[in-house]
Amino acid sequence: QNGDFTRALKALTKILHENRDDVTALNCKIVCLVQNGSFKEALNVMNTHSKLLGSDVVFEKAYCEYRLNRVDSALKTIEAAPEQTDKLKELYGQVLYRLERYDDCKSVYTDLIRNSQDEYEEERKTNLAAVVASMSQWEEAPLEDLGLPESTYELCYNAACALIGQGQLTEALNKLRQAEELCRVSLADDSDVTEEDIESELAVIHSQMAYIMQLQGRTDDALQLYNQVIKLKPSDVGLLAVTANNIITINKDQNVFDSKKKVKLTNAEGVEYKLAKKQLQAIDFNKALLAMYTNQADQCRKLSSSLQSQNPGHPRPVLIQVAQLCREKQHSRAIELLQQFSDQHPESASGIKLTMAQLYLIQGHVTKACDVLRSIEEFKHKSGMISALVTMYSHEEDIDSAIEIFKQAIEHYQSEQPGSAAHLALVREAANF
């Protein structure tokens, strides 16, 4: 009861020495180990005496697995429990969140909030708000109003993140300012809290503000704020990794010495457990690009190949490999790679084909570029595409093909949107031509 768990463990060792199967002592030992953060040892005790302890320690077992980042095991343990107690449900919510199963997670928290009356209500609402924010940011889900308050800075911060996911940047920035104000007010009452403590508590809010500024094109303001956050050396490795990654994206092919320093922060231990899959993927893409900009060709190839095997249908790893080949003046090999990808993944090939056309143009193969562009179904009848093709065919003095492009486009609009502005503009342009 005094919270002196190390001394309690000594006493328990004596008791268990006399009677190694004393269930109460084993339960107490597990609690002491968990409180001391010795999760592996606690799990060992539970596994060694599993017959004796039975389902008494399901929660403790799942909690240790969760804290050791064995999230799949924790999920199995919880789902196999004979009875879903409230504390197991709380843990279930956390586990589902880590597994990015946001829909299931939302149901768990909504249910918990509806059916519990204690002093942790606000924390549950904060967690639910984080789920909504994640769904908005990572799954581009539309925002639904769950009637969550914005009375604390955590709730306010999560509401801002949800708005970012919807692209409502000005509203999100105002919400973050509100969160900053609430944070300062809530910490100001505590005489033990220094200005430095307040700043490190605000770091995550400031980093998110900088991200909005970056999206708005205010890169100088964003950089200044990001660097302030890094100077504070916050203990959250996830926050540091994201902030460093965003600085690297502002630096692009400039200031690469700074980027090489910052990339170390994205490799810190435990980062992979702190971030969403999409964040980790973005960081990996940027590492490959940085390797290209710093002329580490082999490193760039290695990173982009491994990214390609992890995300086979994603065009970006291939585009990075192609950019690297172009730096080495291997344009034909680059086009081969692009062709392979577009054959294998026609569903995400439109960007790839645009790049292919660009490479043909660099080499002076205008007609080949036109053939590739005409094969992009998605952009076939867009006015920009028609304009580009007509211009290129005219340049090659292939007037028949240019007229053919107009004819096909007019027929398309005639059947799909007769009399629309696009249709009439095309007829006029074709007549002029």
Side-chain angles (χ1 to χ4, degrees), residues 32-292:
C32 291
L33 288 169
V34 169
Q35 292 282 6
N36 276 348
S38 309
F39 305 114
K40 261 193 187 143
E41 268 184 77
L43 258 184
N44 286 343
V45 174
M46 289 183 256
N47 291 333
T48 312
H49 302 277
S50 57
K51 281 198 176 71
L52 205 62
L53 295 165
S55 62
D56 283 358
V57 291
V58 171
F59 171 78
E60 286 78 2
K61 183 172 186 226
Y63 180 73
C64 288
E65 288 167 335
Y66 170 72
R67 288 298 301 269
L68 290 166
N69 297 310
R70 301 174 191 170
V71 193
D72 292 312
S73 308
L75 184 72
K76 283 192 188 120
T77 304
I78 294 169
E79 287 177 341
E83 181 203 358
Q84 291 296 325
T85 58
D86 277 353
K87 58 182 183 177
L88 261 178
K89 277 187 203 155
E90 301 268 359
L91 185 58
Y92 189 39
Q94 297 277 7
V95 168
L96 290 169
Y97 184 77
R98 278 279 292 280
L99 289 167
E100 297 182 30
R101 286 172 49 184
Y102 299 125
D103 254 338
D104 299 337
C105 182
K106 190 174 80 180
S107 310
V108 170
Y109 280 125
T110 314
D111 181 55
L112 277 167
I113 289 167
R114 201 177 294 128
N115 298 314
S116 42
Q117 302 279 297
D118 58 25
E119 73 271 31
Y120 296 114
E121 176 132 1
E122 204 157 79
E123 282 186 30
R124 289 186 198 101
K125 285 182 175 167
T126 301
N127 288 350
L128 181 57
V131 175
V132 172
S134 296
M135 288 171 83
S136 169
Q137 285 187 298
W138 310 127
E139 297 180 348
E140 290 161 19
L143 271 188
E144 50 177 320
D145 186 9
L146 297 175
L148 290 166
E150 289 171 14
S151 44
T152 66
Y153 67 93
E154 292 95 342
L155 279 158
C156 218
Y157 169 80
N158 284 330
C161 293
L163 287 168
I164 293 174
Q166 301 299 308
Q168 299 176 22
L169 301 181
T170 315
E171 296 86 336
L173 194 55
N174 291 336
K175 194 79 71 195
L176 286 170
R177 292 203 174 103
Q178 212 175 315
E180 177 176 24
E181 192 47 39
L182 283 167
C183 180
R184 285 189 189 282
V185 169
S186 76
L187 296 175
D189 304 339
D190 192 337
S191 54
D192 295 339
V193 174
T194 64
E195 184 56 37
E196 209 167 274
D197 296 337
I198 295 176
E199 282 305 316
S200 43
E201 193 61 38
L202 285 171
V204 66
I205 298 176
H206 286 158
S207 191
Q208 202 66 287
M209 281 178 169
Y211 176 59
I212 294 178
M213 291 169 185
Q214 184 177 353
L215 291 179
Q216 290 173 331
R218 297 160 52 194
T219 44
D220 290 346
D221 298 339
L223 254 182
Q224 202 178 341
L225 251 186
Y226 283 142
N227 281 314
Q228 271 176 16
V229 170
I230 297 237
K231 268 201 193 92
L232 285 169
K233 299 195 173 122
S235 56
D236 181 346
V237 287
L239 170 63
L240 270 175
V242 170
T243 307
N245 170 70
N246 293 2
I247 292 174
I248 292 168
T249 63
I250 291 178
N251 287 342
K252 289 195 169 64
D253 55 350
Q254 304 298 310
N255 209 351
V256 286
F257 180 69
D258 177 56
S259 293
K260 281 178 94 163
K261 276 199 316 205
K262 297 286 187 290
V263 91
K264 289 183 183 140
L265 295 172
T266 65
N267 296 330
E269 197 184 336
V271 166
E272 66 274 27
Y273 306 121
K274 287 284 193 177
L275 303 180
K277 285 189 187 75
K278 281 201 174 165
Q279 288 175 301
L280 293 168
Q281 186 190 52
I283 286 175
D284 284 341
F285 285 147
N286 292 331
K287 281 180 189 163
L289 283 169
L290 184 62
M292 181 181 82

